[in-house]
Amino acid sequence: MVKSKILFVFGTRPEAIKMAPLIIEMKKQSSIFVTKVCVTAQHRQMLDQVLDFFDISPDYDLDLMKKNQSLSFLTSEIINNLDLVLLEFLPDYIFVHGDTTTSFVSSLCAYYHNIKICHIEAGLRTFNKFSPFPEEINRTLTAKLADYHFAPTLKAKKNLLKEGIDKEKIKVTGNTVIDALNIALSKIYINRIYKNYNINKYLNNSENLILVTGHRRENFGDGIKNLCLALLEISELSNVSIIYPVHLNPNVYIPVKKLLKGKKNIHLIEPLNYPEFVYLMSKSKIIITDSGGIQEEAPSLGIPVLVTRNTTERPEGIEAGTVILVGTEKQKIVSFTTKLLKNKKFYEDMSLQKNPYGDGDAVKKILKHFINLVKS
Ligand code: UD1
Ligand code: UDP
Protein backbone atom coordinates (compact mmCIF):
# COMPACT_ATOMS: atom_id res chain seq x y z
CA MET A 1 0.00 0.00 0.00
CA VAL A 2 1.25 3.50 -0.87
CA LYS A 3 1.55 5.55 2.31
CA SER A 4 -0.08 8.99 2.44
CA LYS A 5 2.32 11.83 3.12
CA ILE A 6 1.26 14.21 5.91
CA LEU A 7 2.85 17.55 6.73
CA PHE A 8 2.01 19.43 9.93
CA VAL A 9 2.70 23.16 9.59
CA PHE A 10 2.60 25.55 12.54
CA GLY A 11 4.58 28.42 13.99
CA THR A 12 3.43 29.74 17.38
CA ARG A 13 3.26 28.47 20.96
CA PRO A 14 -0.48 27.70 21.10
CA GLU A 15 -0.50 25.92 17.74
CA ALA A 16 2.38 23.72 18.92
CA ILE A 17 0.62 22.88 22.20
CA LYS A 18 -2.61 21.96 20.42
CA MET A 19 -0.98 20.06 17.54
CA ALA A 20 1.59 18.12 19.61
CA PRO A 21 -0.74 15.38 20.91
CA LEU A 22 -2.03 14.76 17.37
CA ILE A 23 1.49 14.64 15.89
CA ILE A 24 2.55 12.12 18.54
CA GLU A 25 -0.39 9.82 17.68
CA MET A 26 -0.14 10.34 13.91
CA LYS A 27 3.53 9.30 14.00
CA LYS A 28 2.48 6.01 15.62
CA GLN A 29 0.50 5.22 12.42
CA SER A 30 3.70 4.70 10.44
CA SER A 31 2.29 1.72 8.52
CA ILE A 32 -0.16 4.03 6.71
CA PHE A 33 1.34 7.54 6.92
CA VAL A 34 4.66 9.26 6.45
CA THR A 35 4.35 12.15 8.91
CA LYS A 36 6.63 15.18 8.87
CA VAL A 37 6.62 18.47 10.77
CA CYS A 38 7.42 21.92 9.40
CA VAL A 39 7.65 24.90 11.76
CA THR A 40 7.62 28.38 10.32
CA ALA A 41 8.96 29.55 13.71
CA GLN A 42 6.79 32.63 13.56
CA HIS A 43 7.57 32.37 17.31
CA ARG A 44 11.04 31.22 18.35
CA GLN A 45 11.73 30.82 22.08
CA MET A 46 8.04 30.36 22.93
CA LEU A 47 7.70 27.66 20.24
CA ASP A 48 10.93 25.87 21.17
CA GLN A 49 9.79 25.55 24.80
CA VAL A 50 6.81 23.51 23.59
CA LEU A 51 8.73 21.41 21.05
CA ASP A 52 11.20 20.46 23.81
CA PHE A 53 8.47 19.44 26.22
CA PHE A 54 6.67 17.21 23.70
CA ASP A 55 9.97 15.96 22.26
CA ILE A 56 9.14 17.00 18.69
CA SER A 57 12.07 17.63 16.30
CA PRO A 58 10.82 19.43 13.19
CA ASP A 59 11.85 18.00 9.82
CA TYR A 60 11.80 21.53 8.40
CA ASP A 61 12.44 24.71 10.40
CA LEU A 62 11.90 27.90 8.39
CA ASP A 63 13.24 29.97 11.31
CA LEU A 64 11.25 33.05 10.26
CA MET A 65 10.89 35.05 13.49
CA LYS A 66 12.23 38.57 13.28
CA LYS A 67 11.90 41.05 16.13
CA ASN A 68 8.58 42.87 15.87
CA GLN A 69 7.90 41.45 12.40
CA SER A 70 5.09 43.02 10.38
CA LEU A 71 2.20 40.86 9.20
CA SER A 72 2.92 41.59 5.53
CA PHE A 73 6.59 40.68 5.82
CA LEU A 74 5.75 37.47 7.69
CA THR A 75 3.12 36.56 5.09
CA SER A 76 5.55 36.87 2.18
CA GLU A 77 8.30 35.00 4.06
CA ILE A 78 5.99 32.05 4.82
CA ILE A 79 4.82 31.78 1.20
CA ASN A 80 8.33 31.90 -0.24
CA ASN A 81 9.89 29.48 2.23
CA LEU A 82 7.07 26.97 2.62
CA ASP A 83 6.78 26.69 -1.15
CA LEU A 84 10.21 25.03 -1.27
CA VAL A 85 9.27 22.54 1.45
CA LEU A 86 6.05 21.57 -0.33
CA LEU A 87 7.97 21.06 -3.59
CA GLU A 88 10.53 18.87 -1.85
CA PHE A 89 8.22 16.69 0.30
CA LEU A 90 5.12 16.77 -1.96
CA PRO A 91 2.64 16.00 0.85
CA ASP A 92 -0.83 14.62 0.14
CA TYR A 93 -2.28 16.48 3.14
CA ILE A 94 -1.21 19.39 5.29
CA PHE A 95 -2.55 19.92 8.80
CA VAL A 96 -2.90 23.50 10.04
CA HIS A 97 -4.36 24.83 13.26
CA GLY A 98 -6.62 27.70 14.26
CA ASP A 99 -6.10 31.27 13.19
CA THR A 100 -2.51 32.44 13.03
CA THR A 101 -0.83 33.98 10.02
CA THR A 102 1.10 30.72 9.68
CA SER A 103 -2.18 28.75 9.45
CA PHE A 104 -3.78 30.93 6.80
CA VAL A 105 -0.70 31.48 4.64
CA SER A 106 0.33 27.80 4.77
CA SER A 107 -3.16 26.84 3.65
CA LEU A 108 -2.93 29.28 0.75
CA CYS A 109 0.44 27.87 -0.27
CA ALA A 110 -0.88 24.28 -0.06
CA TYR A 111 -3.87 25.28 -2.18
CA TYR A 112 -1.53 26.63 -4.89
CA HIS A 113 0.04 23.13 -4.99
CA ASN A 114 -3.31 21.32 -4.98
CA ILE A 115 -2.53 19.69 -1.62
CA LYS A 116 -5.47 18.75 0.61
CA ILE A 117 -5.84 20.88 3.74
CA CYS A 118 -7.04 19.64 7.15
CA HIS A 119 -7.97 22.45 9.53
CA ILE A 120 -7.90 21.72 13.28
CA GLU A 121 -9.91 24.00 15.61
CA ALA A 122 -12.06 25.12 12.69
CA GLY A 123 -15.18 27.28 12.84
CA LEU A 124 -14.49 29.81 15.61
CA ARG A 125 -15.97 33.21 14.72
CA THR A 126 -16.74 36.62 16.19
CA PHE A 127 -18.05 37.90 12.82
CA ASN A 128 -16.05 41.09 13.48
CA LYS A 129 -13.17 41.29 11.04
CA PHE A 130 -11.05 43.52 13.30
CA SER A 131 -11.55 41.60 16.55
CA PRO A 132 -9.55 39.53 17.05
CA PHE A 133 -7.18 41.04 14.50
CA PRO A 134 -6.01 39.45 12.26
CA GLU A 135 -7.21 36.08 13.55
CA GLU A 136 -10.86 36.43 12.47
CA ILE A 137 -9.85 36.82 8.85
CA ASN A 138 -7.08 34.22 9.11
CA ARG A 139 -9.50 31.52 10.21
CA THR A 140 -12.33 32.53 7.87
CA LEU A 141 -10.00 32.37 4.87
CA THR A 142 -8.44 29.12 6.10
CA ALA A 143 -11.91 27.60 6.20
CA LYS A 144 -12.50 28.71 2.61
CA LEU A 145 -9.30 26.93 1.56
CA ALA A 146 -9.61 23.80 3.71
CA ASP A 147 -10.90 20.41 2.53
CA TYR A 148 -11.59 18.92 5.96
CA HIS A 149 -12.72 20.86 9.03
CA PHE A 150 -12.21 19.54 12.56
CA ALA A 151 -14.48 21.70 14.73
CA PRO A 152 -14.03 21.69 18.52
CA THR A 153 -17.75 22.24 19.31
CA LEU A 154 -21.19 22.07 17.75
CA LYS A 155 -21.34 25.87 17.68
CA ALA A 156 -18.17 25.97 15.60
CA LYS A 157 -19.71 23.44 13.21
CA LYS A 158 -22.82 25.61 12.87
CA ASN A 159 -20.65 28.62 11.97
CA LEU A 160 -19.06 26.62 9.16
CA LEU A 161 -22.44 25.38 7.89
CA LYS A 162 -23.65 29.02 7.73
CA GLU A 163 -20.70 29.76 5.45
CA GLY A 164 -21.83 27.05 3.06
CA ILE A 165 -19.32 24.37 4.00
CA ASP A 166 -20.50 20.85 3.19
CA LYS A 167 -21.58 19.06 6.41
CA GLU A 168 -19.84 15.88 5.23
CA LYS A 169 -16.51 17.72 5.46
CA ILE A 170 -16.95 18.76 9.11
CA LYS A 171 -16.25 16.63 12.16
CA VAL A 172 -16.90 17.79 15.74
CA THR A 173 -14.09 16.53 17.97
CA GLY A 174 -13.60 18.64 21.12
CA ASN A 175 -10.43 20.66 21.47
CA THR A 176 -6.98 19.01 21.45
CA VAL A 177 -5.91 21.55 24.08
CA ILE A 178 -7.47 19.24 26.67
CA ASP A 179 -5.49 16.26 25.34
CA ALA A 180 -2.34 18.37 25.74
CA LEU A 181 -3.35 19.47 29.22
CA ASN A 182 -3.83 15.84 30.30
CA ILE A 183 -0.35 14.96 29.03
CA ALA A 184 1.13 17.93 30.89
CA LEU A 185 -0.70 17.14 34.15
CA SER A 186 0.40 13.52 34.15
CA LYS A 187 4.05 14.49 33.54
CA ILE A 188 3.99 17.22 36.20
CA TYR A 189 2.78 14.89 38.93
CA ILE A 190 4.90 11.83 37.98
CA ASN A 191 7.81 11.75 40.43
CA ARG A 192 6.54 15.09 41.78
CA ILE A 193 8.56 17.02 39.16
CA TYR A 194 6.71 20.21 40.15
CA LYS A 195 8.80 20.32 43.32
CA ASN A 196 11.76 21.46 41.17
CA TYR A 197 9.93 24.30 39.40
CA ASN A 198 11.40 27.79 39.87
CA ILE A 199 7.89 29.22 40.03
CA ASN A 200 7.51 27.71 43.53
CA LYS A 201 9.50 30.63 44.93
CA TYR A 202 6.53 32.93 44.13
CA LEU A 203 3.88 30.61 45.57
CA ASN A 204 2.58 31.06 49.07
CA ASN A 205 -0.47 28.97 49.95
CA SER A 206 -2.01 31.60 52.19
CA GLU A 207 -2.27 34.18 49.38
CA ASN A 208 -4.87 34.70 46.67
CA LEU A 209 -2.85 34.14 43.53
CA ILE A 210 -3.96 35.99 40.40
CA LEU A 211 -2.39 34.84 37.14
CA VAL A 212 -2.32 37.30 34.24
CA THR A 213 -1.41 36.98 30.54
CA GLY A 214 -2.18 39.03 27.44
CA HIS A 215 -1.03 39.53 23.89
CA ARG A 216 -3.92 40.44 21.54
CA ARG A 217 -3.09 43.05 18.92
CA GLU A 218 -6.43 44.85 19.40
CA ASN A 219 -5.43 45.43 23.06
CA PHE A 220 -2.11 47.13 22.21
CA GLY A 221 -2.06 50.67 23.60
CA ASP A 222 -5.07 51.55 25.76
CA GLY A 223 -6.17 47.95 26.43
CA ILE A 224 -2.81 46.96 27.94
CA LYS A 225 -2.54 50.26 29.81
CA ASN A 226 -5.99 49.85 31.40
CA LEU A 227 -5.21 46.25 32.37
CA CYS A 228 -2.02 47.40 34.10
CA LEU A 229 -3.85 50.18 35.95
CA ALA A 230 -6.46 47.64 37.07
CA LEU A 231 -3.70 45.29 38.30
CA LEU A 232 -2.16 48.12 40.33
CA GLU A 233 -5.51 48.62 42.06
CA ILE A 234 -6.06 44.87 42.56
CA SER A 235 -2.59 44.53 44.08
CA GLU A 236 -3.75 46.82 46.91
CA LEU A 237 -6.44 44.29 47.98
CA SER A 238 -5.45 42.30 51.04
CA ASN A 239 -3.69 38.97 50.65
CA VAL A 240 -3.26 39.22 46.87
CA SER A 241 -0.27 38.17 44.82
CA ILE A 242 -0.11 38.65 41.03
CA ILE A 243 2.07 36.63 38.67
CA TYR A 244 2.30 37.86 35.09
CA PRO A 245 4.37 35.84 32.57
CA VAL A 246 4.85 38.59 29.99
CA HIS A 247 4.54 37.76 26.27
CA LEU A 248 7.76 38.44 24.29
CA ASN A 249 6.06 40.78 21.83
CA PRO A 250 7.67 44.23 22.43
CA ASN A 251 4.25 45.88 22.02
CA VAL A 252 3.33 43.98 25.18
CA TYR A 253 6.42 43.77 27.38
CA ILE A 254 7.60 47.37 26.99
CA PRO A 255 4.42 49.03 28.36
CA VAL A 256 3.80 46.26 30.93
CA LYS A 257 7.28 46.58 32.41
CA LYS A 258 7.07 50.36 32.38
CA LEU A 259 3.74 50.41 34.25
CA LEU A 260 4.15 47.50 36.67
CA LYS A 261 7.86 47.08 37.43
CA GLY A 262 8.97 47.37 41.04
CA LYS A 263 5.63 46.59 42.71
CA LYS A 264 6.28 44.12 45.54
CA ASN A 265 3.33 41.74 45.01
CA ILE A 266 3.28 41.90 41.16
CA HIS A 267 5.77 39.43 39.73
CA LEU A 268 6.62 40.03 36.06
CA ILE A 269 8.31 36.92 34.70
CA GLU A 270 9.39 35.47 31.32
CA PRO A 271 6.95 33.15 29.49
CA LEU A 272 6.96 29.83 31.33
CA ASN A 273 7.50 26.47 29.71
CA TYR A 274 4.16 24.75 29.19
CA PRO A 275 4.05 22.23 32.10
CA GLU A 276 5.26 24.86 34.57
CA PHE A 277 2.56 27.21 33.31
CA VAL A 278 -0.08 24.48 33.73
CA TYR A 279 1.17 23.92 37.29
CA LEU A 280 0.94 27.67 37.95
CA MET A 281 -2.62 27.76 36.56
CA SER A 282 -3.58 24.93 38.90
CA LYS A 283 -2.28 26.95 41.88
CA SER A 284 -4.12 30.15 40.89
CA LYS A 285 -7.32 31.51 42.37
CA ILE A 286 -8.29 33.60 39.33
CA ILE A 287 -6.89 34.03 35.81
CA ILE A 288 -7.13 37.35 33.95
CA THR A 289 -6.25 36.89 30.29
CA ASP A 290 -7.04 37.61 26.65
CA SER A 291 -5.62 34.22 25.60
CA GLY A 292 -7.79 31.77 23.69
CA GLY A 293 -6.04 28.61 24.86
CA ILE A 294 -6.08 29.56 28.53
CA GLN A 295 -9.87 30.13 28.42
CA GLU A 296 -10.19 26.55 27.19
CA GLU A 297 -7.76 24.98 29.68
CA ALA A 298 -8.63 26.74 32.94
CA PRO A 299 -12.15 25.25 33.36
CA SER A 300 -10.59 21.76 33.50
CA LEU A 301 -8.61 22.97 36.53
CA GLY A 302 -11.64 24.69 38.10
CA ILE A 303 -10.16 28.19 37.80
CA PRO A 304 -12.48 31.12 36.88
CA VAL A 305 -11.28 33.24 33.97
CA LEU A 306 -11.87 36.95 33.38
CA VAL A 307 -11.35 37.64 29.67
CA THR A 308 -9.99 41.08 28.80
CA ARG A 309 -11.68 41.30 25.42
CA ASN A 310 -14.83 42.89 24.02
CA THR A 311 -15.70 40.12 21.56
CA THR A 312 -15.31 36.39 21.70
CA GLU A 313 -15.15 33.47 19.32
CA ARG A 314 -15.46 31.18 22.35
CA PRO A 315 -19.05 31.74 23.58
CA GLU A 316 -19.16 28.18 24.97
CA GLY A 317 -17.17 29.19 28.05
CA ILE A 318 -19.47 32.12 28.76
CA GLU A 319 -22.57 29.96 28.37
CA ALA A 320 -21.10 27.24 30.60
CA GLY A 321 -20.31 29.92 33.21
CA THR A 322 -16.57 29.21 33.31
CA VAL A 323 -15.43 32.58 31.91
CA ILE A 324 -16.67 36.20 31.97
CA LEU A 325 -15.93 38.72 29.24
CA VAL A 326 -14.81 41.82 31.15
CA GLY A 327 -13.31 43.88 28.32
CA THR A 328 -10.46 46.28 29.01
CA GLU A 329 -12.18 48.89 31.12
CA LYS A 330 -10.20 49.29 34.34
CA GLN A 331 -13.15 49.44 36.73
CA LYS A 332 -14.85 46.36 35.32
CA ILE A 333 -11.67 44.27 35.69
CA VAL A 334 -11.23 45.45 39.29
CA SER A 335 -14.86 44.91 40.29
CA PHE A 336 -15.16 41.36 38.89
CA THR A 337 -11.84 40.37 40.47
CA THR A 338 -12.97 41.77 43.83
CA LYS A 339 -16.33 39.98 43.57
CA LEU A 340 -14.60 36.64 42.84
CA LEU A 341 -12.29 37.11 45.82
CA LYS A 342 -15.00 38.14 48.25
CA ASN A 343 -18.15 36.25 47.21
CA LYS A 344 -17.71 32.50 47.77
CA LYS A 345 -20.96 31.52 46.02
CA PHE A 346 -20.12 33.61 42.93
CA TYR A 347 -16.66 32.01 42.86
CA GLU A 348 -17.97 28.45 43.18
CA ASP A 349 -20.63 29.00 40.53
CA MET A 350 -17.79 29.62 38.11
CA SER A 351 -15.19 27.16 39.31
CA LEU A 352 -17.45 24.09 39.54
CA GLN A 353 -18.78 24.14 35.95
CA LYS A 354 -17.95 21.47 33.36
CA ASN A 355 -15.44 22.31 30.65
CA PRO A 356 -17.35 22.76 27.34
CA TYR A 357 -14.24 22.00 25.22
CA GLY A 358 -14.23 18.26 25.82
CA ASP A 359 -12.63 15.55 27.89
CA GLY A 360 -9.31 15.05 26.15
CA ASP A 361 -10.32 12.58 23.45
CA ALA A 362 -10.17 15.00 20.51
CA VAL A 363 -7.01 13.42 19.04
CA LYS A 364 -8.60 9.97 19.03
CA LYS A 365 -11.66 11.32 17.20
CA ILE A 366 -9.62 13.31 14.65
CA LEU A 367 -7.35 10.39 13.88
CA LYS A 368 -10.16 7.84 13.53
CA HIS A 369 -12.08 10.14 11.20
CA PHE A 370 -8.98 11.00 9.17
CA ILE A 371 -7.94 7.36 8.71
CA ASN A 372 -11.45 6.58 7.42
CA LEU A 373 -11.23 9.53 5.02
CA VAL A 374 -7.90 8.42 3.62
CA LYS A 375 -9.08 4.81 3.24
CA SER A 376 -12.36 5.74 1.53
C1 UD1 B 1 0.80 35.33 17.42
C2 UD1 B 1 -0.44 35.12 16.56
C3 UD1 B 1 -1.69 35.08 17.42
C4 UD1 B 1 -1.54 34.07 18.56
C5 UD1 B 1 -0.29 34.39 19.34
C6 UD1 B 1 -0.04 33.38 20.42
C7 UD1 B 1 -0.59 36.06 14.29
C8 UD1 B 1 -0.75 37.29 13.50
N1 UD1 B 1 -0.58 36.22 15.63
O1 UD1 B 1 0.73 36.65 17.97
O2 UD1 B 1 -2.81 34.72 16.63
O3 UD1 B 1 -2.67 34.13 19.40
O4 UD1 B 1 0.84 34.37 18.44
O5 UD1 B 1 0.93 33.83 21.33
O6 UD1 B 1 -0.45 35.00 13.75
N2 UD1 B 1 8.42 37.21 19.95
C9 UD1 B 1 9.64 36.81 20.45
N3 UD1 B 1 9.81 35.47 20.73
C10 UD1 B 1 8.85 34.55 20.57
C11 UD1 B 1 7.60 34.98 20.09
C12 UD1 B 1 7.40 36.30 19.77
O7 UD1 B 1 10.56 37.61 20.62
O8 UD1 B 1 9.07 33.36 20.84
C13 UD1 B 1 8.22 38.64 19.59
C14 UD1 B 1 8.95 39.03 18.30
O9 UD1 B 1 9.41 40.36 18.42
C15 UD1 B 1 7.82 38.94 17.27
C16 UD1 B 1 6.66 39.47 18.08
O10 UD1 B 1 6.83 38.89 19.37
O11 UD1 B 1 8.09 39.71 16.13
C17 UD1 B 1 5.29 39.21 17.51
O12 UD1 B 1 5.12 37.85 17.15
P1 UD1 B 1 3.89 37.44 16.18
O13 UD1 B 1 3.90 35.96 16.01
O14 UD1 B 1 3.89 38.28 14.98
O15 UD1 B 1 2.61 37.89 16.99
P2 UD1 B 1 2.04 37.45 18.39
O16 UD1 B 1 1.54 38.70 19.04
O17 UD1 B 1 3.00 36.61 19.12
N1 UDP C 1 1.29 29.23 28.01
C1 UDP C 1 2.57 28.79 28.32
N2 UDP C 1 3.42 29.63 29.00
C2 UDP C 1 3.05 30.89 29.37
C3 UDP C 1 1.75 31.35 29.02
C4 UDP C 1 0.89 30.50 28.32
O1 UDP C 1 2.93 27.65 28.00
O2 UDP C 1 3.87 31.60 30.00
C5 UDP C 1 0.38 28.33 27.25
C6 UDP C 1 -1.02 28.17 27.81
O3 UDP C 1 -1.10 27.10 28.69
C7 UDP C 1 -1.86 27.95 26.54
C8 UDP C 1 -1.10 28.68 25.46
O4 UDP C 1 0.21 28.93 25.97
O5 UDP C 1 -1.92 26.58 26.18
C9 UDP C 1 -1.78 29.98 25.08
O6 UDP C 1 -0.97 30.73 24.25
P1 UDP C 1 -1.23 32.24 23.92
O7 UDP C 1 -1.98 32.87 25.03
O8 UDP C 1 0.09 32.82 23.55
O9 UDP C 1 -2.09 32.18 22.58
P2 UDP C 1 -3.66 32.02 22.25
O10 UDP C 1 -4.14 30.79 22.93
O11 UDP C 1 -4.35 33.26 22.70
O12 UDP C 1 -3.67 31.92 20.76
Side-chain angles (χ1 to χ4, degrees), residues 13-14 17-18 46 177 213 215-216 245 247 270-274 277-278 281 290-294 297:
R13 169 175 68 189
I17 291 169
K18 291 168 167 182
M46 286 160 60
V177 78
T213 81
H215 67 84
R216 302 244 81 96
H247 195 285
E270 298 276 308
L272 285 170
N273 69 57
Y274 177 56
F277 186 78
V278 168
M281 278 200 286
D290 62 19
S291 161
I294 295 171
E297 291 161 338

Side-chain angles (χ1 to χ4, degrees), residues 11-128:
T12 66
R13 169 175 68 189
E15 291 166 87
I17 291 169
K18 291 168 167 182
M19 287 289 230
L22 181 57
I23 293 170
I24 291 168
E25 292 306 314
M26 190 76 89
K27 284 200 175 221
K28 290 183 187 162
Q29 303 293 327
S30 56
S31 60
I32 40 179
F33 300 133
V34 179
T35 302
K36 291 198 177 189
V37 172
C38 173
V39 294
T40 61
Q42 172 180 334
H43 282 177
R44 189 69 274 174
Q45 307 92 309
M46 286 160 60
L47 172 75
D48 292 344
Q49 287 179 326
V50 183
L51 296 175
D52 280 353
F53 173 65
F54 286 103
D55 206 11
I56 292 174
S57 312
D59 301 277
Y60 304 96
D61 188 336
L62 307 184
D63 199 19
L64 295 182
M65 198 198 83
K66 297 271 184 308
K67 279 274 161 220
N68 218 359
Q69 64 212 337
S70 78
L71 293 176
S72 304
F73 179 73
L74 178 62
T75 297
S76 63
E77 286 284 279
I78 297 171
I79 281 274
N80 287 331
N81 287 277
L82 184 64
D83 212 54
L84 303 176
V85 173
L86 298 184
L87 286 170
E88 184 186 310
F89 181 48
L90 299 174
D92 300 295
Y93 299 88
I94 75 159
F95 276 71
V96 296
H97 184 280
D99 54 19
T100 67
T101 294
T102 289
S103 322
F104 159 53
V105 180
S106 307
S107 304
L108 183 62
C109 200
Y111 164 73
Y112 288 156
H113 290 277
N114 204 9
I115 294 163
K116 287 206 160 41
I117 300 155
C118 302
H119 187 200
I120 308 295
E121 200 182 84
L124 279 62
R125 296 289 184 274
T126 60
F127 303 101
N128 176 339

Side-chain angles (χ1 to χ4, degrees), residues 71-350:
L71 293 176
S72 304
F73 179 73
L74 178 62
T75 297
S76 63
E77 286 284 279
I78 297 171
I79 281 274
N80 287 331
N81 287 277
L82 184 64
D83 212 54
L84 303 176
V85 173
L86 298 184
L87 286 170
E88 184 186 310
F89 181 48
L90 299 174
D92 300 295
Y93 299 88
I94 75 159
F95 276 71
V96 296
H97 184 280
D99 54 19
T100 67
T101 294
T102 289
S103 322
F104 159 53
V105 180
S106 307
S107 304
L108 183 62
C109 200
Y111 164 73
Y112 288 156
H113 290 277
N114 204 9
I115 294 163
K116 287 206 160 41
I117 300 155
C118 302
H119 187 200
I120 308 295
E121 200 182 84
L124 279 62
R125 296 289 184 274
T126 60
F127 303 101
N128 176 339
K129 79 178 194 184
F130 290 109
S131 184
F133 172 85
E135 289 82 4
E136 180 70 7
I137 287 299
N138 282 344
R139 59 190 168 219
T140 307
L141 297 180
T142 302
K144 200 80 197 151
L145 295 162
D147 298 278
Y148 303 109
H149 311 257
F150 295 91
T153 63
L154 204 55
K155 265 189 194 311
K157 176 179 176 176
K158 286 183 180 157
N159 289 335
L160 294 168
L161 291 173
K162 269 191 243 157
E163 288 170 14
I165 288 167
D166 178 357
K167 69 175 189 313
E168 300 300 323
K169 307 281 182 192
I170 308 170
K171 175 77 186 164
V172 177
T173 62
N175 198 308
T176 58
V177 78
I178 313 295
D179 303 50
L181 182 69
N182 290 343
I183 295 174
L185 285 170
S186 61
K187 289 205 183 165
I188 293 165
Y189 288 101
I190 284 174
N191 302 327
R192 311 214 299 173
I193 287 170
Y194 62 87
K195 291 219 163 250
N196 303 326
Y197 288 162
N198 286 329
I199 198 69
N200 283 311
K201 69 177 180 234
Y202 298 112
L203 304 181
N204 171 348
N205 285 337
S206 66
E207 282 178 334
N208 289 316
L209 176 62
I210 299 179
L211 172 59
V212 182
T213 81
H215 67 84
R216 302 244 81 96
R217 276 177 159 77
E218 63 276 14
N219 283 346
F220 291 172
D222 284 348
I224 290 179
K225 187 171 162 215
N226 291 344
L227 168 67
C228 291
L229 296 177
L231 294 177
L232 287 171
E233 204 167 315
I234 291 165
S235 73
E236 298 296 330
L237 299 171
S238 74
N239 225 17
V240 158
S241 168
I242 297 174
I243 302 186
Y244 187 164
V246 187
H247 195 285
L248 296 180
N249 192 327
N251 297 295
V252 178
Y253 73 74
I254 293 174
V256 167
K257 287 192 176 158
K258 194 167 150 217
L259 289 161
L260 297 180
K261 211 170 157 191
K263 192 86 178 105
K264 198 167 140 272
N265 57 343
I266 303 184
H267 307 289
L268 304 179
I269 59 172
E270 298 276 308
L272 285 170
N273 69 57
Y274 177 56
E276 198 159 349
F277 186 78
V278 168
Y279 173 67
L280 177 60
M281 278 200 286
S282 74
K283 294 285 167 199
S284 303
K285 179 95 180 171
I286 301 170
I287 300 178
I288 303 177
T289 187
D290 62 19
S291 161
I294 295 171
Q295 284 178 63
E296 296 156 342
E297 291 161 338
S300 290
L301 302 167
I303 317 295
V305 181
L306 300 179
V307 180
T308 49
R309 292 182 48 189
N310 298 316
T311 58
T312 185
E313 64 282 25
R314 292 176 169 84
E316 297 88 348
I318 295 173
E319 282 162 23
T322 58
V323 309
I324 297 177
L325 212 58
V326 293
T328 52
E329 217 184 287
K330 179 185 125 189
Q331 220 34 57
K332 208 164 168 192
I333 300 171
V334 174
S335 67
F336 273 104
T337 306
T338 311
K339 191 169 174 189
L340 277 170
L341 290 176
K342 300 207 163 145
N343 184 332
K344 193 162 175 258
K345 160 115 185 30
F346 183 63
Y347 185 90
E348 284 179 356
D349 280 350
M350 283 188 82

